[in-house]
Amino acid sequence: NAGVTQTPKFRILKIGQSMTLQCAQDMNHNYMYWYRQDPGMGLKLIYYSVGAGITDKGEVPNGYNVSRSTTEDFPLRLELAAPSQTSVYFCASSHSNLLGAFFGQGTRLTVV
Amino acid sequence: DAKTTQPPSMDCAEGRAANLPCNHSTISGNEYVYWYRQIHSQGPQYIIHGLKNNETNEMASLIITEDRKSSTLILPHATLRDTAVYYCIVSYLHGSSNTGKLIFGQGTTLQVKP
C-alpha cells in the first residue's frame, strides 16, 4: 500500500496565483486532515473531513478551501496565494484513533 | 479541546530511557492521550495512545496518572534515531459526539546523545 500520497513535493508560486495540493490515501480511511507547519513551529490544522461530502474548519482555515468528493482524495485549494502561506503542508488520514493517523511526506510551498 | 504543556527540549544519553512528560490538567473524561513524533521535518508518526490505563507497544510505553492530568512517554532504550520532536495531544475518539480532530502543540525536542 502507498499510504498517504501528497503531490507535488515542492512548488514555488507567485503572489496571487492559485494551486491545488493533492492528497490521496489508499487505506479506506474516513478521516482526513490538512496541516501546515511553519519553520520551527508545530503543526496547525487547516481543514479536516470525517467522510466523503463532509468537511470542517480547523485552526487556520482562512485562504484555503477543501472538498471531499471521494473517500480517497482530499485536495486543498489555495486561492490568491500570499507570502504568509509559505509553509510545509501535511495531509493525514485515519480510520479511527485506535490506530493513530498516517501522515504524508509533505508539500513544501514557497510563495514569492 | 484540552490543551497540553510539554517542556520545549530534553536530552537523553543513548541506551538510556527517555522519559517525556506532558501535562493535560483540563482533559475531559472521554479524551484520549496521544503521542506522535516528527523526525527532521518528515510527516509525524503515531507512537501510542491511552485513556486511563498504562499502555505499551513495540515503540514505547505510556504512563497516565490516576487523575489523568499528566502522562509520561517512555522510550526504554533511546537510540540516535529517536532524536525528534515529540507531540502530546489529547483528543476524543473518532465516532464519539466529537470529531476527534488532532490539535498539535509545540512539542518537546528530544536530543539523544552518544
Side-chain angles (χ1 to χ4, degrees):
Chain A
N1 287 339
V4 178
T5 302
Q6 292 185 236
T7 56
K9 290 184 171 55
F10 303 93
R11 182 71 185 268
I12 297 175
L13 275 183
K14 293 184 178 180
I15 295 172
Q17 287 185 321
S18 301
M19 76 164 294
T20 299
L21 282 67
Q22 302 291 345
C23 176
Q25 52 91 7
D26 60 0
M27 297 171 282
N28 200 33
H29 287 170
N30 287 327
Y31 295 82
M32 296 189 74
Y33 309 85
W34 273 107
Y35 292 88
R36 61 175 285 174
Q37 185 173 34
D38 298 336
M41 305 296 287
L43 285 80
K44 293 293 186 183
L45 181 64
I46 305 172
Y47 271 95
Y48 64 102
S49 169
V50 301
I54 305 170
T55 62
D56 206 349
K57 296 177 180 178
E59 304 171 275
V60 289
N62 292 342
Y64 307 94
N65 279 300
V66 293
S67 59
R68 186 90 182 276
S69 57
T70 67
T71 298
E72 295 77 19
D73 300 299
F74 190 40
L76 178 71
R77 178 79 177 166
L78 278 73
E79 303 283 2
L80 298 175
S84 61
Q85 293 178 304
T86 293
S87 191
V88 179
Y89 292 82
F90 289 103
C91 178
S93 74
S94 67
H95 173 66
S96 76
N97 273 346
L98 289 175
L99 294 178
F102 292 82
F103 282 77
Q105 288 305 300
T107 294
R108 284 155 177 76
L109 176 68
T110 301
V111 181
V112 296
Chain B
D1 297 315
K3 293 185 177 179
T4 62
T5 303
Q6 299 177 253
S9 64
M10 293 182 63
D11 290 341
C12 177
E14 188 178 19
R16 303 297 294 269
N19 297 285
L20 292 91
C22 180
N23 287 321
H24 32 79
S25 59
T26 60
I27 192 170
S28 68
N30 294 330
E31 285 185 306
Y32 284 67
V33 179
Y34 297 85
W35 283 85
Y36 286 76
R37 73 180 182 182
Q38 187 175 26
I39 297 173
H40 192 53
S41 299
Q42 296 177 14
Q45 176 189 24
Y46 164 80
I47 301 173
I48 199 168
H49 78 281
L51 181 63
K52 296 179 182 178
N53 300 321
N54 299 337
E55 302 287 345
T56 296
N57 62 21
E58 65 278 6
M59 291 183 67
S61 295
L62 174 60
I63 308 298
I64 302 174
T65 58
E66 190 170 347
D67 63 8
R68 303 210 323 124
K69 292 185 177 181
S70 65
S71 61
T72 301
L73 178 74
I74 301 173
L75 308 178
H77 304 287
T79 70
L80 298 178
R81 290 177 295 179
D82 291 320
T83 293
V85 179
Y86 287 79
Y87 296 98
C88 169
I89 302 167
V90 292
S91 178
Y92 292 99
L93 184 68
H94 291 319
S96 67
S97 59
N98 292 277
T99 56
K101 56 187 178 182
L102 297 172
I103 303 296
F104 285 74
Q106 293 303 306
T108 295
T109 299
L110 175 68
Q111 182 72 48
V112 180
K113 298 184 175 181

